[in-house]
Amino acid sequence: MSETTIVPVTPGSVSDAQHAMSGGGDGHECQCQWWTMTNADFQRTDIDGRASAFRSEVDAAPSPGLIAYVDGVAAGWVRVGPRTRQIRLSKTRAYAGATEEPWDDADVWAVSCFAVRKEHRGSGLNAALLRAAIAFARENGARVVEAYPVDPDAGRKVTSNELYHGALSTFLSAGFREVARPKPHVAVVSLDLADTHETGTGEHP
């Protein structure tokens, strides 16, 4: 049976996070910077510039996300952190008026991106990453965790690239509640950490 360990990215594990991101989809090109930049800034940067911006994030606290290792090899990634640091979220029309929380509240965190290498998809790694992200947010003082998953069952075909948001069912299973449906296939979900029980990061079955 495989052993899965989920830990925050550190300056020494940036290359592992990049490996997890590059297993299919747009992760290698994006370097998980899509939500941290305005569209104009994103378009002005190349992969090297985005990688440099990612490394700068990792050098600061809190860490911008978590890496999942399967049998010691980086297999998945989740971005989780203060929503105020993910500036494109507030500029995205579908989310701007759909949240229940003030955009300037740094105690509101967001889970905004998943990347799982192709060889590990379908193994439940997204759910494990989400559980670890919730625990990490709680440990770092978050009051609420918000996310913007897609609903593959809403009658519209959802592409594999769109699934970097995460699937709605994964969030509902983790205790999130749907607070808005700005598009038929796009939900805004929220988890009040004061209402949930603590779970630890680390090893997951």
Side-chain angles (χ1 to χ4, degrees):
M1 185 175 178
S2 297
E3 180 182 5
T4 300
T5 304
I6 302 176
V7 293
V9 62
T10 66
S13 62
V14 166
S15 62
D16 289 344
Q18 292 170 326
H19 178 74
M21 294 175 199
S22 63
D26 298 327
H28 173 66
E29 181 180 351
C30 177
Q31 294 288 304
C32 208
Q33 294 305 293
W34 178 257
W35 295 116
T36 70
M37 299 180 179
T38 65
N39 189 59
D41 287 341
F42 188 86
Q43 297 302 326
R44 276 195 292 265
T45 60
D46 58 12
I47 294 175
D48 289 342
R50 294 167 195 159
S52 177
F54 179 66
R55 286 191 294 271
S56 294
E57 281 193 280
V58 176
D59 287 339
S63 174
L66 310 173
I67 306 169
Y69 293 88
V70 176
D71 294 334
V73 178
W77 162 259
V78 62
R79 171 176 280 279
V80 56
R83 198 179 56 173
T84 51
R85 296 188 183 183
Q86 303 180 60
I87 59 175
R88 191 191 289 253
L89 291 172
S90 65
K91 299 179 183 299
T92 300
R93 185 176 302 175
Y95 311 149
T99 180
E100 295 179 336
E101 305 294 337
W103 283 105
D104 61 353
D105 188 342
D107 292 335
V108 178
W109 281 39
V111 174
S112 58
C113 179
F114 293 88
V116 173
R117 293 186 59 84
K118 286 182 178 180
E119 61 266 31
H120 295 284
R121 291 176 187 170
S123 65
L125 206 53
N126 268 24
L129 282 163
L130 180 57
R131 290 195 299 269
I134 293 167
F136 183 70
R138 179 185 292 107
E139 290 162 6
N140 284 276
R143 177 179 60 82
V144 168
V145 179
E146 193 171 84
Y148 319 92
V150 294
D151 184 357
D153 300 321
R156 172 189 176 278
K157 181 176 175 58
V158 174
T159 68
S160 58
N161 273 356
E162 287 180 290
L163 286 173
Y164 80 89
H165 295 275
L168 176 61
S169 59
T170 304
F171 286 89
L172 296 181
S173 295
F176 284 74
R177 62 186 177 85
E178 183 175 333
V179 299
R181 186 67 72 111
K183 295 182 180 180
H185 69 292
V186 175
V188 176
V189 297
S190 180
L191 179 68
D192 186 338
L193 295 183
D195 294 337
T196 61
H197 299 292
E198 290 198 26
T199 58
T201 56
E203 295 184 4
H204 298 268

